[in-house]
Amino acid sequence: MTAKDLRSLLYDVPDNSEIVILNENAPIKGAVPVYQTFTFKADAGSKVVLMYQSKNGKEGTK
């Protein structure tokens, strides 16, 4: 996904909405909030990284 794609998906989302990440194999209650983002630059261009926390190094929660 490009930044343009993400911006178009979020165009109508209110500014104060919480953004969460959901693994496609996880139940909806396993969605976890993004707690940090950062951008790094490589030879091929910039990349934005969305980070989230998980319990015991596993995705999602019970």
Side-chain angles (χ1 to χ4, degrees), residues 5 8 12 19 34 38 45 61:
D5 296 334
S8 67
D12 289 328
I19 303 298
V34 173
F38 62 91
T61 59

Side-chain angles (χ1 to χ4, degrees), residues 33-60:
V34 173
Y35 76 95
Q36 183 178 5
T37 64
F38 62 91
T39 305
F40 67 93
K41 296 188 183 214
D43 292 338
S46 297
K47 293 194 180 210
V48 174
V49 177
L50 305 176
M51 296 178 65
Y52 64 95
Q53 293 179 336
S54 60
K55 294 184 179 181
N56 301 323
K58 296 180 181 177
E59 294 176 0

Side-chain angles (χ1 to χ4, degrees), residues 1-49:
M1 171 180 285
T2 64
K4 181 179 179 180
D5 296 334
L6 183 59
R7 278 193 300 271
S8 67
L9 287 173
L10 297 175
Y11 180 75
D12 289 328
V13 176
D15 290 343
N16 61 348
S17 297
E18 183 177 357
I19 303 298
V20 296
I21 303 232
L22 177 65
N23 183 303
E24 65 181 12
N25 296 320
I28 191 70
K29 67 181 183 177
V32 293
V34 173
Y35 76 95
Q36 183 178 5
T37 64
F38 62 91
T39 305
F40 67 93
K41 296 188 183 214
D43 292 338
S46 297
K47 293 194 180 210
V48 174
V49 177

